[in-house]
């Protein structure tokens, strides 16, 4: 009997980081890729058999029906065709993932292998842990080797194994062997990989741990919020927390949502600039807006077209659509609506050539003047009056020093630098930390951090009026990463988890105002630290660890 035998050894590289499992004995029958024909030819043969035999049998049975011949009466050729068809079906099922037959055989062979070679294979627990990560057992070696050799695409592991955690572990081991680099320290256990399948991250090999701190309470519009912030920068949470303390001690902050609308701007091309201008005039005509809006709004229950802003460049036309999106951030929603309108316009403008659904006039994930001037997502202004005694006792500076520093740093300094929407101290810090904690798209931090910070002495120069104006905060409380367990918990902490059933878009709008309020706190604290000369000392104290990182165990 042909016994399946496989012996492995663990080889350690000089660097001590990478381990390879080598095959020492080949006295077994391998997978179809080791057959006489190349894999692609073998597959082609069985595919050809399957379809040709299916056609042959259907043709013969149709003739029997026409001639009233009983179907159970089969000839020798029909019998051979049926058997060959079954053989091709078994092969195709086995190869393309429905491998219960193969699994039973593999398990039986593995049991035999364990009995025969119980004295030959001896690996202590330490070597086993180094050679293979947890849950990667000997029976999975064939899959790992197939991924390494390229015969099984890494991206197909989830669909083949029907086990997302196991797929991540096998992919991780394959990456280590292919790169010769250890991934020790990158955790793979303890994460729900099912929750990201097909929507958040492809080909996962683990997850990154980012600590989450809380700042607050932030007293905003008469309510208190404890703000979660995911960051690896020391002092950031503490600084924002100090700003929240100063705001609360002064009676709180207030916010106003100025505008709420996500944008998408496709680019279309015509044969001439004159023809492009005709579409521009058509879109700008108020009489046509209602018809276009009806077409656009079919894409979703929450999508409502607000405006159309066309811009022409030669024979190319850029059309910036703006719409409300409920509690979702809304990129997919607005894109579907735009596609509906483009299909509708083709009837009147059949010569219109759609170059791209996005022509960067949107503008998404890029610093752009159109977002700074026109806004994108939620446009919010947030303000507070900080009392003189709070400025002195909590912030350790003076109103006069803060006003002067804001003018020379945030306004004049940013103007000299040619800044676009960057008239602030560090709005991006707070926006990024809250975005990561609550499952927003971190890349949209680019335009979401557009902010101008204003400071002015009020009440006869005693108190400080501070405000932040942020025209393009792009957030949502449903969809994307917001549904992951950790991010969902952070949204729940703020009281904005999921969709607001009573008032659609209320949760996402509230989240945007909380972001602006947190930025206000962060701006107030950092500017005070700079004005008081505390910035360097605080970072040297809290942002420089004296621990030996190599000895820290996760």
């Amino acid at each position: 009997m042909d016994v399946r035998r496989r012996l492995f050894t663990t080889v350690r590289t000089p660097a001590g980081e990478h381990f390879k499992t080598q095959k020492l004995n080949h006295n077994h029958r391998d997978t179809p890729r080791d057959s006489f024909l190349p894999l692609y030819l073998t597959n082609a043969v069985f595919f050809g058999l399957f379809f040709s035999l299916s056609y042959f049998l259907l043709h013969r049975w149709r003739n029997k029906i026409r001639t009233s011949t009983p179907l159970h009466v089969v000839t020798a050729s029909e019998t051979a065709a049926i058997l060959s068809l079954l053989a091709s079906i078994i092969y195709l099922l086995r190869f393309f993932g429905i491998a219960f037959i193969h699994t039973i055989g593999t398990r039986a062979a593995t049991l035999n292998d364990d009995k025969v070679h119980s004295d030959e294979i001896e690996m202590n627990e330490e070597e086993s842990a180094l050679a293979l990560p947890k849950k990667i057992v000997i029976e999975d070696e064939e899959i790992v080797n197939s991924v390494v050799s390229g015969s099984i695409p890494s991206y197909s592991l989830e669909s083949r194994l029907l086990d997302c955690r196991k797929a991540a572990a096998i992919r991780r081991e394959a990456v280590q062997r292919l790169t010769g680099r250890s991934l020790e320290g990158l955790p793979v256990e303890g994460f729900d990989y099912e929750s990201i399948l097909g929507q958040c991250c492809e080909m996962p090999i683990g997850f990154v741990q980012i600590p989450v701190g809380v700042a607050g309470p932030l007293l905003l519009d008469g309510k208190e919020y404890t703000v979660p912030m995911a960051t690896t920068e020391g002092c950031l949470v503490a600084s924002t927390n100090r700003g929240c303390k100063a705001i609360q001690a002064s009676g709180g902050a207030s916010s106003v949502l100025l505008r709420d609308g996500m944008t998408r701007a496709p680019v279309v091309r015509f044969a001439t600039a004159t023809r492009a201008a005709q579409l521009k005039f058509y879109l700008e005509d108020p009489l046509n807006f209602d018809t276009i809006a009806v077409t656009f709004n079919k894409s979703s229950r929450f999508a409502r077209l607000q405006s159309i802003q066309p811009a022409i460049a030669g024979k190319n036309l850029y059309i910036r659509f703006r719409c409300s999106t409920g509690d979702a951030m809304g990129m997919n929603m607005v894109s579907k609506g735009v596609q509906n309108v483009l299909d509708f316009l083709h009837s009147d403008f059949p010569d219109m050539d759609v170059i791209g659904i996005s022509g960067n006039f949107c503008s998404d994930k890029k610093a752009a003047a159109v977002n700074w001037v026109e806004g994108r997502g939620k446009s919010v202004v947030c303000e507070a009056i900080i009392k003189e005694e709070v400025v002195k006792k909590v912030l350790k500076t003076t109103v006069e020093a803060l006003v002067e520093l804001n003018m020379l740093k945030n306004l004049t300094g940013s103007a000299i630098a040619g800044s676009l929407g960057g008239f602030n101290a560090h709005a991006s810090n707070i926006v990024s930390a809250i975005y990561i904690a609550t499952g927003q798209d971190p890349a949209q931090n680019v335009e979401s951090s557009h902010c101008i910070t204003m400071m002015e002495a009020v009440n006869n120069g005693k108190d400080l009026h501070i405000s932040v104006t942020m025209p393009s905060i792009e957030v949502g409380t449903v969809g994307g990463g917001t549904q992951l367990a950790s991010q969902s918990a952070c949204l729940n902490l703020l009281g904005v988890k999921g969709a607001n059933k009573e008032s659609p878009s209320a949760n996402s709008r509230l989240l945007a105002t909380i972001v602006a309020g947190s930025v206000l706190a962060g701006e107030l604290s950092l500017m005070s630290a700079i004005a008081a000369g505390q910035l360097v000392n605080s970072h040297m104290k809290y942002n420089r660890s004296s621990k030996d990182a190599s000895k820290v165990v996760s």
Side-chain angles (χ1 to χ4, degrees):
M1 183 177 69
D2 183 16
V3 180
R4 185 171 186 150
R5 305 176 62 190
R6 184 172 291 175
L7 187 61
F8 299 89
T9 62
T10 302
V11 181
R12 186 168 186 169
T13 62
E17 293 184 339
H18 176 55
F19 300 85
K20 295 183 178 179
T21 306
Q22 298 177 338
K23 192 184 298 183
L24 300 183
N25 202 333
H26 298 277
N27 296 328
H28 65 280
R29 183 169 301 182
D30 213 333
T31 59
R33 62 178 182 274
D34 295 327
S35 59
F36 294 104
L37 290 176
L39 184 60
Y40 71 94
L41 287 180
T42 306
N43 291 341
V45 168
F46 278 95
F47 266 117
L49 278 174
F50 176 78
F51 288 111
S52 60
L53 293 172
S54 298
Y55 176 80
F56 170 76
L57 291 173
L58 289 174
H59 181 72
R60 293 296 294 268
W61 290 341
R62 184 178 64 178
N63 290 336
K64 287 183 178 182
I65 292 173
R66 288 178 176 177
T67 58
S68 300
T69 303
L71 295 179
H72 64 274
V73 177
V74 294
T75 62
S77 61
E78 291 172 348
T79 302
I82 292 173
L83 294 176
S84 299
L85 180 64
L86 291 175
S88 64
I89 291 174
I90 292 173
Y91 172 84
L92 294 174
L93 290 177
R94 178 176 178 270
F95 183 81
F96 287 100
I98 307 176
F100 58 90
I101 298 176
H102 175 67
T103 302
I104 295 173
T106 302
R107 289 180 179 176
T110 302
L111 292 175
N112 291 335
D113 185 59
D114 290 340
K115 293 179 182 179
V116 174
H117 298 285
S118 59
D119 297 330
E120 296 182 21
I121 302 177
E122 295 182 358
M123 298 176 64
N124 58 44
E125 293 182 359
E126 180 179 0
E127 289 176 337
S128 299
L130 291 173
L132 294 172
K134 291 180 180 180
K135 305 298 182 182
I136 297 290
V137 294
I138 298 300
E139 63 186 21
D140 296 327
E141 276 295 324
E142 183 176 347
I143 305 175
V144 176
N145 292 333
S146 297
V147 174
V148 172
S149 66
S151 58
I152 293 182
S154 177
Y155 62 80
S156 68
L157 286 174
E158 281 78 7
S159 60
R160 285 174 176 269
L161 300 176
L162 302 180
D163 185 339
C164 293
R165 191 218 60 81
K166 183 177 180 180
I170 288 177
R171 183 181 294 110
R172 170 197 177 98
E173 178 63 17
V175 168
Q176 289 187 115
R177 298 184 188 184
L178 283 168
T179 62
R181 301 286 184 179
S182 172
L183 287 174
E184 183 179 359
L186 179 67
V188 68
E189 299 292 339
F191 187 82
D192 181 11
Y193 294 96
E194 299 282 350
S195 65
I196 65 173
L197 182 63
Q199 56 189 358
C200 289
C201 180
E202 298 76 36
M203 295 189 288
I205 59 172
F207 60 98
V208 174
Q209 296 168 314
I210 301 179
V212 178
V214 290
L218 171 66
L219 183 56
L220 178 66
D221 298 324
K223 295 183 180 180
E224 291 186 349
Y225 301 96
T226 300
V227 183
M229 302 174 66
T231 181
T232 56
E233 180 181 350
C235 295
L236 178 60
V237 178
S239 177
T240 307
N241 189 68
R242 183 175 75 149
C244 292
K245 180 180 179 181
I247 292 172
Q248 186 176 42
S250 299
S254 58
S255 65
V256 179
L257 189 135
L258 306 172
R259 183 181 294 179
D260 181 9
M262 182 51 64
T263 64
R264 175 60 84 199
V267 52
V268 299
R269 183 172 58 193
F270 291 88
T272 64
T274 301
R275 185 62 171 156
Q278 290 176 359
L279 177 56
K280 181 179 185 296
F281 298 146
Y282 175 89
L283 295 171
E284 291 175 336
D285 189 343
L287 298 178
N288 297 324
F289 181 82
D290 289 342
T291 303
I292 297 174
V294 170
T295 303
F296 184 99
N297 296 344
K298 291 179 181 179
S299 62
S300 169
R301 292 184 297 141
F302 304 104
R304 293 296 177 266
L305 184 63
Q306 298 173 347
S307 64
I308 304 174
Q309 182 183 1
I312 194 168
K315 59 182 183 178
N316 305 300
L317 186 66
Y318 298 80
I319 314 169
R320 194 171 194 255
F321 294 83
R322 178 193 297 275
C323 81
S324 60
T325 57
D327 282 309
M329 185 270 289
M331 285 300 302
N332 293 334
M333 192 182 301
V334 67
S335 296
K336 288 192 294 183
V338 168
Q339 187 62 57
N340 288 346
V341 173
L342 292 177
D343 294 339
F344 169 77
L345 292 176
H346 262 296
S347 59
D348 291 329
F349 297 88
D351 53 335
M352 179 180 70
D353 184 13
V354 179
I355 303 300
I357 191 69
S358 175
N360 276 9
F361 187 40
C362 311
S363 174
D364 186 42
K365 300 180 177 71
K366 288 166 282 291
V370 68
N371 291 336
W372 177 241
V373 176
E374 299 290 340
R376 187 171 195 255
K378 277 73 173 171
S379 299
V380 180
V381 59
C382 187
E383 64 179 347
I385 295 179
I386 310 301
K387 297 178 181 179
E388 181 183 26
E389 58 268 24
V390 175
V391 173
K392 292 180 179 180
K393 293 181 180 180
V394 179
L395 301 177
K396 312 298 182 183
T397 185
T398 65
V399 172
E400 182 182 2
L402 282 173
V403 172
E404 182 181 27
L405 177 63
N406 187 72
M407 180 186 66
L408 295 178
K409 170 182 167 63
N410 288 343
L411 305 182
T412 309
S414 296
I416 291 176
S419 178
L420 179 60
F423 299 93
N424 58 81
H426 71 150
S428 178
N429 254 337
I430 291 87
V431 171
S432 295
I434 298 177
Y435 272 28
I436 295 172
T438 59
Q440 311 303 314
D441 188 340
Q444 288 184 321
N445 160 70
V446 176
E447 63 267 38
S448 296
S449 296
H450 282 346
C451 171
I452 182 168
T453 301
M454 304 291 291
M455 293 186 185
E456 180 183 351
V458 295
N459 299 331
N460 297 322
K462 292 183 178 181
D463 301 331
L464 175 73
H465 180 275
I466 178 174
S467 68
V468 292
T469 305
M470 306 178 69
S472 50
I473 300 178
E474 300 165 351
V475 292
T477 58
V478 295
T482 64
Q483 62 189 12
L484 300 180
S486 301
Q487 290 81 345
S488 180
C490 291
L491 289 171
N492 189 55
L493 177 64
L494 292 171
V496 295
K497 177 182 176 181
N500 191 307
K501 297 181 180 179
E502 297 178 357
S503 179
S505 79
N507 283 355
S508 60
R509 292 181 177 185
L510 177 55
L511 178 58
T513 61
I514 293 173
V515 170
S518 303
V519 169
L520 183 74
E523 291 287 282
L524 181 61
S525 183
L526 178 59
M527 291 294 287
S528 299
I530 296 174
Q534 301 171 340
L535 180 65
V536 175
N537 290 335
S538 62
H539 274 270
M540 292 299 291
K541 181 178 180 179
Y542 297 107
N543 201 22
R544 292 177 65 87
S545 175
S546 60
K547 296 181 180 179
D548 183 357
S550 64
K551 296 180 181 180
V552 176
V553 180
S554 61

